[in-house]
Amino acid sequence: MALGHLFCASVLVGITGLSSTALGQAWYVEAPLPPGIIATTASASAADGTVVVGSGAIQGSPSNTAGIIARLTAPGVVQTIAYAPPAPYLSCAITAVNSDGTAFGGWVQAGSGQSRFPALFSPNTGWLVLGAFPGVNVTGISEDGQLLMGQQFVNGEGKAAIFGVGVGGLLSTTTIEGKTIFTSVPEGGVLTLNGYSITGSATFTDGTSGIVQWFLAPPFAGTQILPKGLDKSIVRAPSSRDGQRLAITYVHYWPSGSPSSFNVGSVTVGGTDFTFPALGPNDAGHEVNSVTNDGSIMVGQVYGADNSTRSSVWRSTTRHDLFNLLSSAGAAVNPAQNSITLASSQTGDLFVGTVRPTEQSRRIFFASVTIPANTPDCPADFNRDGFVDFFDFDDFIGAFETGC
């Protein structure tokens, strides 16, 4: 029987695969595809990076997806399981996982163009669809697995919201500063049945954008703009696991006459500690996806002027190309592949993401490598990728010939 039929007929379907790679100081492994799944995409990970959740395109019906949980069971060894949506839904994705990798959430959808509904998920009992909240994206889950956070679309505008059994709704759209939120998305924080402190990015009705914190600690509640000292146009702002540090993607304005792009940085929620690395000369933009609790490691991707997408790790203001590091350390990986790094362990030595993100062969990956300690900026590392090689010389010549 075809996998698509199994997915339609069964409340819960699990298909397991195993893969391993040679171990050493550094290693890289792509999560194996369960039978009937042709591609996988990572959406979130547990705090230690050993559990990654996402979605998998179904063979014969690639517009429909299954929920994916990939587990690192030993260094370089991954187990991947695909889970079907509950009837009558045709698609689902697992997009949120708690810190210890035991509670899951995501969305289900009846078909392309139909509303997505938030859903809690358990590998043991299956999906619990929260049908009171149509038109959502799910970005996070409480540690006890009872509540989800994300966006709910109202008249085409995404608004920050909380979803649960018998509880939930839109978060406030009015800030303490008097600004009105136009669109917003929660990207991290602490969420419980008794209260929350959630941070995310927002656009305001006056055309500006920024970072917003929603808080509820009865009897106190409110919405404020954070951090106070940050004067940048914010695109994204995921927070660390403990909610104390923000990883920021903001609009970077080049000199007059040049198009704007994205750059990244990190800042404490209180706005007292800013770190903003510089863009390299051939970087079209940087985007950050996560930051460790201590702020020492940020991960994301760099978009090159050549249309490449490179997995990147920032230690303070120094950027490292993850796949180049892996290859140089002896891991079996093609360093030229496009990739996105989604998250890292708190110790900054395990990394997860999606390789070949725009291709049909896209896969969830796990990788381990030591990120070099901070060193003073090296003038010879012209493109700031953590290496001194002929690419730096080529970039310097290009910049010299272009002039100021």
Side-chain angles (χ1 to χ4, degrees):
M1 182 180 292
L3 178 64
H5 292 162
L6 284 175
F7 267 67
C8 291
S10 177
V11 173
L12 179 64
V13 175
I15 302 127
T16 305
L18 291 175
S19 179
S20 64
T21 188
L23 305 182
Q25 183 180 3
W27 53 262
Y28 168 88
V29 62
E30 296 179 10
L33 295 175
I37 298 296
I38 60 174
T40 55
T41 302
S43 295
S45 78
D48 63 1
T50 60
V51 179
V52 175
V53 300
S55 59
I58 300 172
Q59 185 175 18
S61 186
S63 62
N64 293 333
T65 58
I68 295 291
I69 299 179
R71 297 180 184 274
L72 185 70
T73 59
V77 181
V78 178
Q79 177 193 65
T80 312
I81 303 178
Y83 296 93
Y89 302 99
L90 300 179
S91 284
C92 63
I94 302 173
T95 58
V97 56
N98 68 348
S99 293
D100 62 8
T102 58
F104 307 92
W107 53 260
V108 297
Q109 186 179 29
S112 179
Q114 301 295 309
S115 286
R116 292 176 175 177
F117 291 90
L120 301 170
F121 178 75
S122 164
N124 297 321
T125 59
W127 296 92
L128 175 59
V129 179
L130 306 176
F133 306 101
V136 306
N137 283 326
V138 173
T139 59
I141 189 170
S142 61
E143 290 299 325
D144 63 7
Q146 296 187 62
L147 294 172
L148 300 172
M149 69 175 78
Q151 280 183 305
Q152 185 170 15
F153 289 84
V154 180
N155 298 324
E157 300 166 5
K159 309 285 188 181
I162 293 173
F163 318 114
V165 178
V167 296
L170 299 179
L171 297 178
S172 172
T173 58
T174 302
T175 71
I176 293 173
E177 290 82 358
K179 286 195 172 189
T180 300
I181 296 172
F182 180 58
T183 63
S184 56
V185 55
E187 299 185 75
V190 178
L191 175 63
T192 73
L193 288 170
N194 297 318
Y196 53 78
S197 175
I198 297 172
T199 56
S201 53
T203 61
F204 304 104
T205 53
D206 62 4
T208 61
S209 62
I211 302 168
V212 170
Q213 181 185 46
W214 297 268
F215 58 90
L216 172 63
F220 303 104
T223 305
Q224 60 181 338
I225 300 173
L226 293 175
K228 305 302 183 187
L230 182 64
D231 182 22
K232 295 184 181 295
S233 297
I234 304 300
V235 179
R236 292 188 58 209
S239 75
S240 57
R241 281 282 177 177
D242 62 5
Q244 298 304 302
R245 179 167 285 272
L246 303 168
I248 298 166
T249 301
Y250 66 93
V251 177
H252 174 82
Y253 296 100
W254 292 95
S256 179
S258 300
S260 61
S261 60
F262 295 155
N263 197 13
V264 302
S266 71
V267 60
T268 53
V269 168
T272 58
D273 178 18
F274 295 82
T275 301
F276 292 103
L279 285 169
N282 284 329
D283 296 345
H286 296 178
E287 184 173 1
V288 66
N289 296 318
S290 71
V291 61
T292 55
N293 289 343
D294 63 5
S296 63
I297 295 289
M298 294 191 303
V299 301
Q301 57 273 357
V302 169
Y303 303 105
D306 59 356
N307 294 320
S308 62
T309 304
R310 306 292 303 170
S311 277
S312 295
V313 181
W314 290 265
R315 184 184 286 276
S316 186
T317 58
T318 301
R319 177 173 69 83
H320 302 275
D321 185 296
L322 177 60
F323 278 36
N324 279 347
L325 277 180
L326 288 164
S327 180
S328 298
V333 61
N334 174 7
Q337 298 178 101
N338 287 337
S339 58
I340 291 171
T341 307
L342 177 72
S344 74
S345 61
Q346 291 298 320
T347 52
D349 55 2
L350 178 62
F351 304 90
V352 299
T354 304
V355 65
R356 304 177 297 277
T358 62
E359 302 175 30
Q360 284 193 338
S361 61
R362 62 190 178 277
R363 298 272 285 275
I364 294 170
F365 75 81
F366 295 76
S368 181
V369 67
T370 299
I371 304 301
N374 283 338
T375 58
D377 286 345
C378 174
D381 185 12
F382 193 76
N383 61 13
R384 301 176 66 88
D385 66 354
F387 296 88
V388 176
D389 49 30
F390 74 91
F391 292 111
D392 298 290
F393 181 73
D394 187 52
D395 291 344
F396 168 78
I397 294 298
F400 184 83
E401 291 177 345
T402 300
C404 298

